[in-house]
Amino acid sequence: MKSYPTERIRNVALASHGGVGKTSLGEAMLYLTGAVSRLGRVDDGTSTSDFDPDEVKRKISINLSLLPCEWKDTKVNVIDTPGYADFLAEMKAGIRAADATVILVDATSAVETGTDYAWQFTEERGLPRLFFVTRMDRENADFAQAVADIQAAFGARCTPLQVPIGREHDFKGVVDLVTMKAYLGEKAQAADPPENVAAEAAGWREKLIEAVAESDDEVLNKYLEGEELSEEEVRRALRTAVRSGSVAPILAGSAATLAGVLPLLDALVDYVPSPAEVPPERARNGASQAEEEVPADPKGPLAALVFKTLADPYVGKLTYFRVVSGTLHSNAEVWNAARGHAERLGQLFIMRGKNQENAAEVVAGDIAAVAKLSDTHTGDTLTARDHPLQLSWIQLPAPAYSAAVSPKTKADLDKMSTALARIQEEDPALRVHRDPDTGETILSGLGESHVDVALEKMKRKFGVDVVATLPRVPYKATITVPTKAEYTHKKQTGGHGQYARVALEILPLERGKGFEFEDRIVGGVVPKQYIPAVEKGVQEAMQDGVMGHIPLVDVKAVLYDGKDHPVDSSEMAFKLAAAQALKAGVQQARPVLLEPIMHLTVRVPDAFTGDIMSDLNAKRARVQGMNPDGRFSVIEALVPLAEVQHYGANLRSLTQGKGTFSMEFSHYEEVPAHLAQKVVEQAQKE
């Protein structure tokens, strides 16, 4: 592929609900522009974009993929993004690297949950967007209904730029409302519009001109005066309107029959801005700490944003980046502004799926990759040491599903932590932590499939086999009334014995306060050197717990009396006496069990609100509020973690896959008495 100047580059993300056909559309673009010689298919596992073994196996996109192609002396960097909720972080990263979004809508099912996310992420970035109503060749395809749904969801600024010729098996092509020409078949052969479509096209053209006229004063004046607008005037006004975001054109086509795909490429070249035409990004200067504007100038200061990392056990790490400013050269040294160290670049690559093509340099606005960087991660900025710029990164979605992972064998144990770190490096939306209460290693992701894919990658890429189970709920215990207790530890085994007497006052603390210790010894009845051992003994006993080894929290222990022996006392004796005194006292202090309560936010179409509310009530949830959000309702509730560890699968079945949720820890609350005994018995078994 030849090198293109910044002005002849278009960076476009394909985004939609899962299974709508983004990968098939990207493949069709590659095939029709001659980038590939054979049309791959998702179902056959032969598409350029879905090359990962997990993608081939599941027949869905899991990672974003680059599909550059050349059309009308322009390089179009197509970024194919996943649409399933478990992989939304990849969609967000792809949109961060793009200058515009093509939002796909299925002609047979119209706007879905993933469509809303594609719009939302594009809106956050303030990018131009186009809609592409795909699968026009399918049974029950309905362009008019799709347009109505799009406009109902996103407003009147969404207006057709094309109307289809035929539908279902009779779909032949589209009529462009700017040129008023028909473009038929995969070659987009120009012709006059059929009579049965011409009247409909004229009506939509009037609405299109009305929508774009306000973006161009000259066009607006001519329009208001009733003058006929030339094709070039409409095109110019439309270009301005799309780039400002005041109009989101709706196009139509079919990736299966290839009809409508070349007119989409024409629209991308004609109406989507080049990197040189988008507003400059803002970056923080690491030297001055001031913010500065960074336009897409190949001669400007270097700033390249890393938006994707792939870990490969053979090739090493593959780092995808977009050069926002300056020019990046192969075999050059750059500065990682986020981590404060130099990186030596090797050969730069233009990626097309998994295929690599060498590139000597990458100019501002273009996208490429490089292998084997030592310590560069997704979200970092590669820049120059003497002008260090740090670009902003996206806010990743919060995890919604967790699994406890443990190695299958001792060999796996030695490699598990390294493999988890590498997988998290590749996918920052995954989180790994060790639960201090249960001792489990917890892997969290956006959904069950997200975590399953990560575990499969660990086995395939790094040879680490792990067992995933539902994490134990980190229950805690506390006391409800104050009490006093004492214990004398006395043991004689010949020679020095062991002796210590400890008297404690045990008090409940406010929820969340943890642990406090107070020394009220008077007259040295417990020598000062033994008091730290008393505190340590109390803390260890609290961690070990008194109800099924469930940790004790929110307790204050006051050491008010005790006794030592001049020969037989020791730190160990006082530690053991303190632990036993605490355990004896807690039994009298009406201990109760506490469970983690999560703040759950559920977003569902209005039609499912009643079902969700009923389900939440059955899960001991307390609904905090419900707010409308367009065609959706957002329900907020406090719900015990024990009830929602599998909430993702539950929500999918209740809402036909149209509901989404997020969840974060809120606080601890007392477990109802009728459930507490079962929990304690289960904890004792474990």
Side-chain angles (χ1 to χ4, degrees):
M1 183 177 284
K2 72 175 188 179
S3 181
Y4 285 83
T6 304
E7 295 76 18
R8 300 307 306 173
I9 294 171
R10 303 290 184 270
N11 296 311
V12 184
L14 304 182
S16 76
H17 193 71
V20 170
K22 297 176 295 296
T23 299
S24 298
L25 176 61
E27 190 74 18
M29 290 172 155
L30 294 182
Y31 177 70
L32 290 173
T33 57
V36 296
S37 57
R38 188 171 63 88
L39 189 64
R41 285 170 45 84
V42 173
D43 288 344
D44 298 340
T46 56
S47 69
T48 307
S49 182
D50 290 352
F51 58 85
D52 185 279
D54 291 311
E55 294 175 318
V56 174
K57 172 184 166 186
R58 294 167 185 262
K59 295 183 170 53
I60 62 169
S61 295
I62 290 170
N63 304 297
L64 67 81
S65 185
L66 299 180
L67 306 173
C69 56
E70 298 167 280
W71 184 244
K72 293 192 171 176
D73 199 31
T74 301
K75 182 183 182 185
V76 182
N77 285 318
V78 177
I79 306 170
D80 179 24
T81 72
Y84 287 92
D86 286 21
F87 309 105
L88 281 180
E90 292 283 307
M91 181 196 286
K92 211 169 184 183
I95 291 173
R96 174 65 181 90
D99 296 317
T101 307
V102 175
I103 302 175
L104 278 71
V105 172
D106 191 325
T108 65
S109 56
V111 173
E112 299 173 274
T113 309
T115 326
D116 283 284
Y117 276 115
W119 177 276
Q120 178 189 322
F121 296 158
T122 304
E123 193 84 335
E124 285 172 8
R125 291 274 297 130
L127 299 184
R129 70 218 69 177
L130 295 80
F131 284 92
F132 188 72
V133 179
T134 187
R135 295 181 171 165
M136 283 300 305
D137 60 313
R138 294 280 183 98
E139 195 173 333
N140 298 321
D142 191 333
F143 180 76
Q145 185 58 53
V147 169
D149 280 3
I150 292 168
Q151 291 180 334
F154 308 117
R157 62 168 152 161
C158 308
T159 188
L161 172 58
Q162 299 171 351
V163 291
I165 301 170
R167 54 184 287 187
E168 300 180 352
H169 302 302
D170 294 326
F171 176 64
K172 296 181 175 61
V174 296
V175 175
D176 184 284
L177 301 181
V178 175
T179 64
M180 288 304 283
K181 289 279 188 188
Y183 296 95
L184 305 173
E186 63 178 70
K187 304 281 188 190
Q189 292 170 320
D192 291 329
E195 286 184 20
N196 62 334
V197 181
E200 180 191 359
W204 279 117
R205 186 175 199 269
E206 190 64 28
K207 291 178 181 176
L208 176 69
I209 292 171
E210 187 179 329
V212 304
E214 292 182 9
S215 63
D216 187 304
D217 290 342
E218 185 182 331
V219 170
L220 179 61
N221 290 333
K222 286 185 75 171
Y223 174 72
L224 292 174
E225 290 168 9
E227 293 184 40
E228 186 68 29
L229 295 173
S230 69
E231 180 185 316
E232 185 46 48
E233 286 171 327
V234 176
R235 192 184 300 279
R236 187 182 71 221
L238 179 58
R239 186 181 297 121
T240 304
V242 169
R243 294 177 183 188
S244 69
S246 62
V247 167
I250 303 173
L251 298 88
S254 164
T257 68
L258 304 179
V261 175
L262 288 181
L264 170 63
L265 280 163
D266 286 340
L268 296 180
V269 171
D270 289 343
Y271 306 120
V272 166
S274 74
E277 295 166 312
V278 300
E281 287 219 32
R282 298 192 67 80
R284 183 175 55 82
N285 188 313
S288 66
Q289 299 303 312
E291 277 213 339
E292 59 181 79
E293 286 194 343
V294 186
D297 180 0
K299 295 181 180 176
L302 179 63
L305 179 67
V306 174
F307 64 91
K308 174 70 183 169
T309 305
L310 274 179
D312 190 293
Y314 306 109
V315 179
K317 200 162 59 173
L318 196 59
T319 301
Y320 292 67
F321 59 86
R322 171 176 169 162
V323 180
V324 173
S325 171
T327 300
L328 203 55
H329 298 273
S330 287
N331 306 310
E333 186 173 274
V334 295
W335 183 254
N336 185 321
R339 307 192 182 270
H341 64 74
E343 284 276 20
R344 184 74 193 177
L345 302 182
Q347 177 65 55
L348 301 180
F349 302 111
I350 301 299
M351 301 298 299
R352 182 177 292 119
K354 66 180 177 181
N355 301 313
Q356 304 171 353
E357 185 179 317
N358 291 353
E361 63 178 31
V362 183
V363 299
D366 210 350
I367 292 173
V370 64
K372 298 181 180 177
L373 296 189
S374 62
D375 186 27
T376 292
H377 301 261
T378 302
D380 290 356
T381 304
L382 302 176
T383 181
R385 189 194 293 254
D386 58 357
H387 195 152
L389 297 171
Q390 177 67 50
L391 296 157
S392 65
W393 183 231
I394 58 173
Q395 183 174 352
L396 293 167
Y401 175 82
S402 296
V405 294
S406 55
K408 268 194 175 177
T409 66
K410 185 168 187 316
D412 294 318
L413 172 64
D414 297 337
K415 298 185 288 185
M416 187 177 83
S417 58
T418 303
L420 283 170
R422 294 288 298 277
I423 288 294
Q424 193 177 11
E425 190 177 290
E426 180 173 318
D427 186 353
L430 292 167
R431 313 278 169 86
V432 180
H433 74 280
R434 186 171 178 80
D435 190 309
D437 298 315
T438 65
E440 294 175 312
T441 299
I442 305 296
L443 176 63
S444 302
L446 305 188
E448 198 167 345
S449 295
H450 192 201
V451 171
D452 287 347
V453 165
L455 298 179
E456 286 174 21
K457 278 184 184 177
M458 284 175 62
K459 184 174 182 179
R460 176 168 47 82
K461 289 188 171 186
F462 307 109
V464 179
D465 216 351
V466 299
V467 178
T469 56
L470 204 61
R472 294 204 296 272
V473 176
Y475 291 104
K476 297 182 188 294
T478 192
I479 58 173
T480 54
V481 297
T483 187
K484 290 185 176 181
E486 64 174 76
Y487 186 84
T488 301
H489 178 71
K490 190 178 347 182
K491 197 171 183 184
Q492 195 67 45
T493 55
H496 283 306
Q498 293 182 36
Y499 181 87
R501 176 177 165 271
V502 169
L504 296 174
E505 183 178 3
I506 303 163
L507 306 153
L509 286 177
E510 187 182 328
R511 193 82 71 243
K513 288 289 186 182
F515 169 67
E516 291 180 14
F517 179 79
E518 187 179 340
D519 167 19
R520 282 195 203 151
I521 291 299
V522 178
V525 292
V526 176
K528 284 193 178 299
Q529 69 264 31
Y530 296 137
I531 288 171
V534 172
E535 182 177 355
K536 190 172 183 184
V538 169
Q539 285 182 299
E540 286 183 4
M542 286 178 64
Q543 188 58 39
D544 187 46
V546 292
M547 299 171 70
H549 297 285
I550 292 167
L552 190 68
V553 295
D554 303 333
V555 168
K556 180 176 181 178
V558 179
L559 175 64
Y560 69 89
D561 197 11
K563 189 176 180 184
D564 73 318
H565 185 280
V567 176
D568 291 344
S569 287
S570 65
E571 287 187 3
M572 179 59 71
F574 271 97
K575 190 166 86 166
L576 293 169
Q580 293 303 321
L582 179 88
K583 288 181 178 180
V586 167
Q587 299 295 350
Q588 307 161 31
R590 294 186 201 160
V592 294
L593 198 64
L594 302 175
E595 64 181 341
I597 303 296
M598 311 304 287
H599 183 268
L600 180 70
T601 303
V602 188
R603 186 172 183 270
V604 294
D606 293 334
F608 299 104
T609 303
D611 293 339
I612 297 302
M613 297 288 271
S614 299
D615 182 61
L616 288 174
N617 288 333
K619 288 178 163 48
R620 299 191 283 129
R622 296 197 306 277
V623 175
Q624 304 293 293
M626 187 170 72
N627 299 301
D629 182 13
R631 301 165 297 109
F632 288 78
S633 293
V634 178
I635 302 164
E636 301 204 25
L638 294 173
V639 59
L641 174 61
E643 302 283 353
V644 288
Q645 285 188 293
H646 269 312
Y647 192 65
N650 192 20
L651 182 66
R652 275 195 295 274
S653 67
L654 282 172
T655 63
Q656 299 167 19
K658 295 176 182 176
T660 57
F661 78 102
S662 63
M663 185 166 61
E664 59 184 11
F665 171 75
S666 176
H667 62 281
Y668 271 86
E669 270 182 21
E670 192 174 326
V671 179
H674 69 284
L675 297 174
Q677 188 56 40
K678 292 179 185 173
V679 172
V680 173
E681 288 171 3
Q682 182 62 32
Q684 285 171 335
K685 282 181 191 173
E686 290 174 355

